């Protein structure tokens, strides 16, 4: 079922009991990318908590310059604008916080437990069900704005994924054997993110790292991490206090990796 653009925005907004998120909620039938629009609003001084939700995206973006397949009526494509008063080196914690919130919602609604893959893919049975793209913008002299873009595969059937994603993607409907109302997922996601963000602002980042670590099977595994042309191989040990992945190399030295993509698990 497509969104009902006016009443859904009003309903979701009325039902939310959030401190930070949902100052404005905009539903759109189609856009290039909800992240692009949220960043444009950030440059125009939009308030923290703005949420942009699209039925479909023509230029949905993933990490590493990839395309995020965004057809109507099946997936969730949304972006949230936050303006945390943080140092730049704490900002990757916001990415992890988004992952912790999204996996909590997915676990609440899925019949099978999900797993976080650093930095921020969410997998069920080794297939991707959710991706996150956090981007920052700073207007001259102003504080940093962070746009959290979240894509969740909700009601796709296996045939609805394009050929190149069939082996690697799944949806909540595939896992559960029945469709889910996307507004239920959106309400839960925004409420959880609001709670986790509030906790982070008041208590600091260490609990984000702890919660993230409880939702991954990565640690103790031998992994290859690709950053541009560089591939680093080692055993994944833990996340450091900035959210970097610490790899133990074969020579026994630990190396903290700030960004990249895990291309191979043990
Ligand atoms: C990834 O797994 O590489 C991240 C995918 C992020 C996709 C979401 S959909 C909503 C938001 N708008 C975008 O263009 N991308 C993010």
């Amino acid at each position: 079922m497509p969104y009902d653009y006016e009443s859904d925005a009003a309903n979701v907004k009325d039902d939310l009991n959030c401190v930070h998120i949902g100052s404005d909620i905009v539903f759109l039938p189609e856009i290039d990318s909800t992240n692009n629009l949220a960043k444009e609003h950030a440059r125009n001084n939009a308030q923290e908590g703005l949420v942009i939700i699209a039925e479909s995206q023509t230029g949905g973006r993933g990490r590493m310059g990839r395309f995020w397949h965004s057809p109507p009526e099946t997936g969730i494509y949304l972006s949230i604008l936050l303006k945390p008063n943080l140092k730049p080196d704490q900002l990757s914690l916001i990415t992890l916080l988004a992952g912790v919130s999204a996996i909590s919602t997915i676990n609440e609604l899925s019949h099978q437990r999900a797993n976080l893959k650093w930095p921020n893919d969410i997998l069920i049975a080794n297939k991707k069900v959710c991706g996150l793209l956090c981007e920052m913008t700073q207007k001259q002299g102003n504080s940093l704005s962070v746009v959290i873009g979240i894509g969740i595969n909700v009601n796709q059937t296996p045939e609805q994924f394009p050929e190149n994603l069939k082996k690697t993607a799944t949806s909540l409907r595939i896992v559960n054997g029945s469709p889910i109302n996307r507004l239920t997922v959106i309400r839960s996601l925004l409420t959880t993110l609001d709670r986790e963000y509030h906790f982070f602002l008041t208590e600091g980042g260490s609990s984000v790292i702890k919660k993230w670590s409880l939702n991954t099977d990565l640690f103790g595994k031998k992994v290859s991490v690709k950053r541009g042309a560089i591939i680093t191989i080692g055993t994944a040990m833990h996340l450091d206090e900035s959210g970097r992945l610490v790899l133990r190399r074969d020579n026994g030295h630990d190396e903290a990796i700030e960004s990249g993509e895990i291309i191979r698990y043990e």
Side-chain angles (χ1 to χ4, degrees):
M1 224 185 26
Y3 295 125
D4 178 331
Y5 302 105
E6 271 158 35
S7 69
D8 283 350
N11 287 343
V12 170
K13 197 164 186 236
D14 287 349
D15 291 353
L16 283 183
N17 193 7
C18 290
V19 183
H20 307 276
I21 292 174
S23 51
D24 198 6
I25 299 182
V26 181
F27 273 83
L28 299 166
E30 187 179 88
I31 182 129
D32 58 345
S33 154
T34 55
N35 266 33
N36 290 354
L37 185 61
K39 286 202 290 184
E40 194 181 315
H41 279 288
R43 287 190 290 271
N44 292 326
N45 291 329
Q47 214 184 322
E48 174 172 80
L50 166 73
V51 181
I52 308 230
I53 303 170
E55 183 66 79
S56 64
Q57 299 183 116
T58 51
R61 295 185 289 107
R63 292 181 69 245
M64 314 280 171
R66 294 205 188 95
F67 181 69
W68 186 261
H69 183 61
S70 314
E73 296 189 35
T74 52
I76 289 175
Y77 322 109
L78 64 78
S79 299
I80 300 148
L81 172 64
L82 296 180
K83 297 183 169 182
N85 189 11
L86 298 175
K87 300 186 206 92
D89 72 337
Q90 288 180 294
L91 284 168
S92 59
L93 291 174
I94 297 280
T95 308
L96 299 177
L97 179 122
V100 164
S101 307
I103 200 168
S104 158
T105 284
I106 287 169
N107 277 335
E108 182 188 312
L109 299 170
S110 157
H111 294 177
Q112 231 177 304
R113 211 178 142 75
N115 195 29
L116 279 161
K117 181 178 160 204
W118 186 85
N120 239 344
D121 285 348
I122 301 182
L123 312 179
I124 299 181
N126 278 327
K127 291 186 170 188
K128 188 152 164 174
V129 68
C130 171
L132 293 107
L133 178 67
C134 292
E135 300 182 296
M136 280 145 223
T137 51
Q138 185 164 30
K139 252 187 99 184
Q140 241 178 0
N142 278 17
S143 60
L144 280 174
S145 295
V146 185
V147 169
I148 301 176
I150 306 180
I152 306 182
N153 299 331
V154 181
N155 282 328
Q156 288 92 337
T157 58
E159 313 74 58
Q160 283 174 319
F161 285 113
E163 258 342 288
N164 63 327
L165 297 180
K166 279 199 165 80
K167 285 207 177 103
T168 54
T170 191
S171 71
L172 291 174
R173 176 184 189 156
I174 294 170
V175 172
N176 289 358
S178 54
I180 305 189
N181 185 324
R182 285 180 297 168
L183 295 184
T184 306
V185 184
I186 290 171
R187 280 192 195 95
S188 162
L189 179 64
L190 298 182
T191 307
T192 311
L193 187 59
D194 186 74
R195 190 184 62 227
E196 294 297 336
Y197 182 53
H198 191 71
F199 196 65
F200 169 68
L201 292 178
T202 50
E203 306 292 325
S206 64
S207 84
V208 176
I209 302 284
K210 215 179 278 168
K211 287 180 196 166
W212 197 96
S213 305
L214 286 172
N215 282 287
T216 189
D217 66 358
L218 182 64
F219 302 136
K221 298 218 164 100
K222 188 112 182 209
V223 298
S224 305
V225 182
K226 189 170 183 297
R227 283 167 293 169
I230 301 167
I231 294 181
T232 313
I233 300 173
T235 304
M237 302 305 290
H238 58 89
L239 299 187
D240 73 8
E241 65 289 347
S242 311
R244 296 180 301 177
L245 177 63
V246 177
L247 291 189
R248 182 150 303 164
R249 309 296 302 274
D250 282 348
N251 63 11
H253 288 144
D254 285 354
E255 185 173 332
I257 315 267
E258 198 159 325
S259 67
E261 184 184 22
I262 297 181
I263 51 169
R264 217 168 63 83
Y265 267 63
E266 191 174 50

